[in-house]
């Protein structure tokens, strides 16, 4: 079944953006108090002081709403990190510090974190645009921490692996199957991939030198090979 492709939304006016921010704030407040189940569209509309129909025009479903809240939380994190960037000497240390700061922020509001992660998990193709935006925000945060201005394809692949590991670690922590200490070890381990040299960019130092080409033309014939002897033999 082909997913419905929604046209790109026009830019919001200042008044519309303010209304959208009230909606996201109300969503976060409800999720902080009661998690995923506490976020109901009617309650969000009442808390944000907008009509229910208006809410649905901004966010077609509860999943859209919570994924957008995740995007908003990442934007706040990114802004904070730009004001106080990570201080590690190596790229791996800076990325690990960044992601652990994100974890600690989520740890302070576990119900909100659980609601947003459940929404990402339940999201289908109809929410793909919003999920892609969350992924791009996460990638941007990791790349900023690395300090890489022109990442190679391998480094971008490593960033994707780090992003997947971070998301998986978040799920295992929220489900009670991992402690923050275990999450820290996993994050630091996967982030070390950033510091590994790129095999494609390394010089082929161990390659054997090419053998010199055999001489050609008259010089080769003068070598006295069997073929050359036959060439001068009388029939």
């Amino acid at each position: 079944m082909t997913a419905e492709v929604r046209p790109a939304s026009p830019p919001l006016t200042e008044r519309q953006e303010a209304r959208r921010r009230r909606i996201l704030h109300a969503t976060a407040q409800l999720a902080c108090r009661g998690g995923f189940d506490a976020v109901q569209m009617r309650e969000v509309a009442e808390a944000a002081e907008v009509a229910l129909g208006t809410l649905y025009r901004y966010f077609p479903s509860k999943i859209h709403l919570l994924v957008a809240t995740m995007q908003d939380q990442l934007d706040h994190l990114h802004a904070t990190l730009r004001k106080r960037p990570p201080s590690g000497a190596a790229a791996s240390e800076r990325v690990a510090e960044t992601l652990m700061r994100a974890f600690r922020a989520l740890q302070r509001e576990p119900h909100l974190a659980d609601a947003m992660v459940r929404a990402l998990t339940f999201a289908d193709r109809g929410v793909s645009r919003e999920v892609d935006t969350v992924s791009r925000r996460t990638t941007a945060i990791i790349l900023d921490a690395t300090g890489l201005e022109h990442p190679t394809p391998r480094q971008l692949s490593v960033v994707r692996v780090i992003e997947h590991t971070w998301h998986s670690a978040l799920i295992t922590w929220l489900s009670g199957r991992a402690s923050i200490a275990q999450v820290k070890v996993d994050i630091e381990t996967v982030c070390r991939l950033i510091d590994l040299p790129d095999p494609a960019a390394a010089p082929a130092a161990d390659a054997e030198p090419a053998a010199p080409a055999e001489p050609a033309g008259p010089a080769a014939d003068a070598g006295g090979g069997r073929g050359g002897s036959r060439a001068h033999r009388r029939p």
Side-chain angles (χ1 to χ4, degrees):
M1 183 175 178
T2 304
E4 180 183 356
V5 179
R6 291 181 288 124
S9 302
L12 298 179
T13 65
E14 185 176 344
R15 184 177 178 181
Q16 290 171 331
E17 180 60 32
R19 186 181 296 128
R20 182 179 184 276
R21 296 224 55 81
R22 289 204 314 273
I23 292 171
L24 292 177
H25 178 73
T27 302
Q29 291 296 311
L30 287 168
C32 284
R33 289 199 293 267
F36 184 84
D37 293 335
V39 179
Q40 302 296 326
M41 299 297 274
R42 187 173 297 280
E43 282 75 7
V44 171
E46 291 176 357
E49 299 181 344
V50 299
L52 185 59
T54 301
L55 174 60
Y56 275 105
R57 284 199 298 273
Y58 280 80
F59 302 102
S61 72
K62 171 178 173 175
I63 301 300
H64 285 85
L65 184 54
L66 282 167
V67 172
T69 303
M70 181 69 160
Q71 175 188 332
D72 190 55
Q73 295 293 314
L74 288 172
D75 287 342
H76 283 300
L77 172 64
H78 205 177
T80 300
L81 289 168
R82 283 174 171 164
K83 293 177 182 176
R84 292 192 302 109
S87 58
S92 60
E93 295 173 353
R94 294 191 297 273
V95 175
E97 179 186 340
T98 293
L99 295 179
M100 288 311 300
R101 283 168 65 177
F103 255 104
R104 292 187 185 98
L106 293 170
Q107 188 181 22
R108 289 193 289 270
E109 298 293 351
H111 292 309
L112 173 61
D114 180 68
M116 295 186 300
V117 170
R118 286 176 66 179
L120 285 172
T121 304
F122 296 154
D124 58 17
R125 291 183 179 180
V127 202
S128 60
R129 183 191 300 169
E130 289 78 7
V131 172
D132 287 346
T133 300
V134 167
S135 179
R136 286 194 300 271
R137 293 289 195 280
T138 308
T139 298
I141 289 171
I142 295 172
L143 282 175
D144 273 7
T146 66
L148 298 171
E149 294 184 3
H150 304 288
T152 65
R154 177 195 170 276
Q155 289 167 332
L156 289 174
S157 179
V158 169
V159 168
R160 288 192 294 272
V161 173
I162 292 173
E163 183 181 342
H164 296 327
T165 303
W166 182 75
H167 186 255
S168 176
L170 183 56
I171 292 174
T172 57
W173 168 68
L174 286 169
S175 63
R177 292 182 287 121
S179 66
I180 287 292
Q182 291 171 317
V183 166
K184 186 173 185 291
V185 170
D186 291 347
I187 292 299
E188 289 176 345
T189 300
V190 74
C191 286
R192 292 190 190 103
L193 293 173
I194 283 284
D195 294 336
L196 295 180
D198 191 342
D206 298 332
E208 295 184 0
E214 295 184 1
D221 293 339
R226 293 179 63 184
S229 300
R230 289 195 186 99
H232 295 285
R233 192 176 297 161
R234 295 173 64 90

